[in-house]
Amino acid sequence: MRYTRDPVPASPVLSIAPVTLPTQDRAVDLQLRISAPVSGTDLPIVLLSHGHGPSNFLSSLYGYGPLRNFLAARGFAVLQPTHLDSAMLGLRDADDPEAPLYWRTRATDMSFVLDHLDSAEEALPSLRGRLDRTRIAVVGHSMGGYTASLLLGARSIDPADGSPIDLAEPRLTAGVLMSAPGHGGDSLSEYAKEHYPVLSGTDFSFMNRPALVIGGAEDLSTHLNVRGPDWYTDAYALSPGRKALLQLHGAGHALGGVSGYDAAEATDENPELADAALWLTWAFLRTELGLDEHAWDFAGKAFTTAPTPLGRLEAR
């Protein structure tokens, strides 16, 4: 089934990019896209973190149109930075101990954006005074999902010096992790251990804030892990607190195409699966941010009672 019955009809969206926030001690100034519905007040905020994919522009403020537009058209202000690992910046091979993933800077980018919400409002004057700064969530895909997990409390070990990594952002209420890397250790492939050592120490036992974890039932990603699709459900299985899990049948790493319209990266492109991921993301955030206590139950019932199940959904 397609989620074509909108409990909240889509609204026109205003979007501006690039918005440049001058930064110190960062290779380049932080650029972001700001998207929001043209009308409405007290808009909840979503920080959207892109993945580390091979495309030049999907992994930047120019990508993730399906996800960004869906949320913005239904009442969220979406703030979408370009992280230093974006291929468009050409910094993946830089002589930087954080390269190529820039895992720490990714998380601090998001906190920096929250520190400069006034600048975001100035860049899009029609947004001024319309943000609800008490309702903030994070959504991330792939490496963006890893970023979201760190901001929600997950921890790791700095491969450079062995120090603990704790980048939790207290201003966040909830989050959605899409195709997010799972547990480290023996779950990682030899390639990942060598090239992405920060993933080796991933620990979800401190990620106690509400989160929806979404994975593709066909997401093998053998270059990263040796366990298969269930690796992408670890953030649900291994973390405390209120959590939900959506695993989509037939979906690969792109979850049907959440990162871009007709994107070559989405080898599993399927608008029906992408719709499900988007609707359930929207509904989860609506409920967890205190905007609609029934949104999650409504969307979950529609998903689980469909004539042809698109996946499995569970919560605790």
Side-chain angles (χ1 to χ4, degrees), residues 149-297:
S149 73
L150 291 179
L151 293 167
L152 293 172
R155 298 184 183 180
S156 189
I157 302 296
D158 190 331
D161 59 16
S163 61
I165 297 169
D166 181 359
L167 296 169
E169 171 51 69
R171 288 170 287 188
L172 295 177
T173 299
V176 179
L177 283 57
M178 297 180 165
S179 302
H183 182 65
D186 292 340
S187 294
L188 295 189
S189 67
E190 291 304 317
Y191 179 89
K193 291 176 183 177
E194 178 182 354
H195 293 86
Y196 310 132
V198 71
L199 300 182
S200 294
T202 303
D203 178 3
F204 295 111
S205 64
F206 295 92
M207 198 182 82
N208 55 15
R209 270 173 279 182
L212 168 63
V213 177
I214 306 178
E218 305 301 325
D219 189 355
L220 298 177
S221 300
T222 55
H223 66 296
L224 291 178
N225 78 93
V226 298
R227 285 178 37 212
D230 283 349
W231 187 59
Y232 291 101
T233 69
D234 282 353
Y236 172 78
L238 302 177
S239 64
R242 192 164 59 256
K243 299 291 186 295
L245 173 68
L246 169 64
Q247 191 174 44
L248 292 169
H249 299 327
H253 198 67
L255 302 176
V258 300
S259 59
Y261 298 108
D262 295 328
E265 267 184 39
T267 56
D268 61 339
E269 187 172 40
N270 182 321
E272 191 172 25
L273 294 177
D275 279 357
L278 298 178
W279 265 115
L280 287 164
T281 292
W282 172 85
F284 182 83
L285 295 180
R286 289 275 299 173
T287 295
E288 290 301 329
L289 293 179
L291 298 162
D292 182 350
E293 64 176 325
H294 302 296
W296 175 247
D297 288 341

Side-chain angles (χ1 to χ4, degrees), residues 72-97:
R74 291 166 178 81
F76 288 89
V78 181
L79 307 182
Q80 182 181 356
T82 295
H83 299 301
L84 290 181
D85 68 313
S86 174
M88 66 175 279
L89 297 179
L91 297 173
R92 292 183 177 182
D93 296 324
D95 184 18
D96 187 310

